[in-house]
């Protein structure tokens, strides 16, 4: 039975792995920008290069350190004091840094974009957004405004994506075995003309000359044999 993730789950799983690099103690977020099933850029939320990272700071009163909370800045003004740049913004910045166009691309993110990132996404001409968790700010009115902004921005798809329990079971039950370790026994070192292969009994000798080995195709010849 084929248990591998579908494309949507595949990219969201990658976004979740990307989020493990986040340096934010409040919400770890990962984002992946994709076009035609190819990854263009990734990003996670964290402070600017060279700036202090909240994850590296000691706890305060038993709570993980947050620069903005340490200053007692209210939620309404958090973007002016948060050290972190958001995952979506960092993914777009990474693409821009390397000259990669994201026009018409799809964004997979573990958290629905805020209004600031949504404007950036729209300006970059990203057309589809799949998110795992809704933003759920402390202001329902603000959340409603953001949802309306999605329509105004011309985003074609803005959809919550849930990874199936079956996919989680497949990935997490034995992730150490999901490697390039050999699963099937190796084939013989030499070809037996009388052997029946998956291609048929005459795969390695010409039709009508059973028992007479055919010249082995070039792609079956080892590198050592080629250089002799």
């Amino acid at each position: 039975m084929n248990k591998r993730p579908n494309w949507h789950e595949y990219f969201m799983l990658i976004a979740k792995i990307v989020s493990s690099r986040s340096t934010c103690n409040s919400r770890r977020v990962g984002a992946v920008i994709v076009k035609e099933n190819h990854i263009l850029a990734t990003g996670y939320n964290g402070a600017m290069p060279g700036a202090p990272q909240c994850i590296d700071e000691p706890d305060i009163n038993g709570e993980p350190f947050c620069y903005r909370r340490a200053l007692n800045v209210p939620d309404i003004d958090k973007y002016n004091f948060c050290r972190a740049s958001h995952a979506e913004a960092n993914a777009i910045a990474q693409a821009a840094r390397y000259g990669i166009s994201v026009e018409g691309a799809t964004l997979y993110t573990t958290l629905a974009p805020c209004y600031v990132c949504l404007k950036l996404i729209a300006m970059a001409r990203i057309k589809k957004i799949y998110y795992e968790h809704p933003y759920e700010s402390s202001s329902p009115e603000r959340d409603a405004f953001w949802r309306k902004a999605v329509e105004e921005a011309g985003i074609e798809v803005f959809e919550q994506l849930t990874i199936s329990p079956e996919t989680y079971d497949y990935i997490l039950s034995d992730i150490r075995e999901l490697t390039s370790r050999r699963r099937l026994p190796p084939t013989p070192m030499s070809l037996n003309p009388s052997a029946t292969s998956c291609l048929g009994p005459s795969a390695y000798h010409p039709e009508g000359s059973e028992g007479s080995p055919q010249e082995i195709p070039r792609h079956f010849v080892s590198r050592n044999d080629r250089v002799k």
Side-chain angles (χ1 to χ4, degrees):
M1 179 180 178
N2 182 7
K3 298 180 181 179
R4 68 177 184 166
N6 62 42
W7 283 114
H8 289 313
E9 293 178 318
Y10 171 72
F11 292 121
M12 187 60 77
L13 283 165
I14 293 175
K16 290 173 74 67
I17 292 174
V18 171
S19 74
S20 69
R21 286 284 303 164
S22 168
T23 62
C24 176
N25 282 326
S26 179
R27 287 190 180 194
R28 295 186 177 184
V29 183
V32 178
I33 300 176
V34 176
K35 191 170 185 180
E36 297 177 356
N37 290 338
H38 291 277
I39 295 175
L40 303 179
T42 64
Y44 54 85
N45 57 330
M48 296 179 292
Q53 306 284 349
C54 287
I55 198 172
D56 297 328
E57 302 286 351
D59 293 351
I60 296 180
N61 298 324
E63 293 291 330
F65 179 83
C66 171
Y67 179 75
R68 190 259 302 181
R69 288 175 172 83
L71 297 177
N72 293 317
V73 175
D75 190 72
I76 193 67
D77 205 23
K78 64 181 181 179
Y79 293 129
N80 291 325
F81 289 89
C82 179
R83 281 177 171 173
S85 177
H86 288 185
E88 307 94 313
N90 285 335
I92 292 172
Q94 183 189 81
R97 183 182 178 190
Y98 292 102
I100 301 171
S101 171
V102 297
E103 183 172 357
T106 298
L107 174 74
Y108 292 85
T109 176
T110 57
L111 181 68
C114 69
Y115 185 45
V116 175
C117 286
L118 182 62
K119 290 185 287 186
L120 185 59
I121 291 166
M123 293 300 293
R125 300 297 192 269
I126 292 173
K127 291 301 182 182
K128 298 178 181 179
I129 301 173
Y130 292 94
Y131 62 92
E132 182 180 36
H133 297 289
Y135 195 91
E136 294 178 342
S137 73
S138 58
S139 170
E141 293 79 11
R142 184 168 62 184
D143 289 344
F145 173 72
W146 290 356
R147 286 192 293 271
K148 186 175 185 300
V150 170
E151 301 174 7
E152 296 173 345
I155 302 297
E156 297 173 359
V157 176
F158 187 75
E159 184 178 311
Q160 187 170 12
L161 175 61
T162 301
I163 298 172
S164 70
E166 293 77 15
T167 296
Y168 273 125
D169 289 343
Y170 174 61
I171 296 296
L172 299 177
S173 62
D174 203 6
I175 194 168
R176 289 183 178 85
E177 295 300 321
L178 295 177
T179 67
S180 298
R181 190 182 309 162
R182 188 185 297 280
R183 299 182 185 183
L184 297 176
T187 55
M189 292 296 292
S190 59
L191 300 177
N192 182 355
S194 62
T196 300
S197 76
C198 61
L199 302 178
S202 58
Y204 299 120
H205 50 77
E207 184 178 356
S209 59
E210 187 173 352
S212 302
Q214 185 183 11
E215 181 181 353
I216 299 173
R218 182 173 179 79
H219 62 277
F220 282 120
V221 179
S222 72
R223 182 178 180 278
N224 291 335
D225 290 336
R226 292 178 192 173
V227 297
K228 287 181 180 179

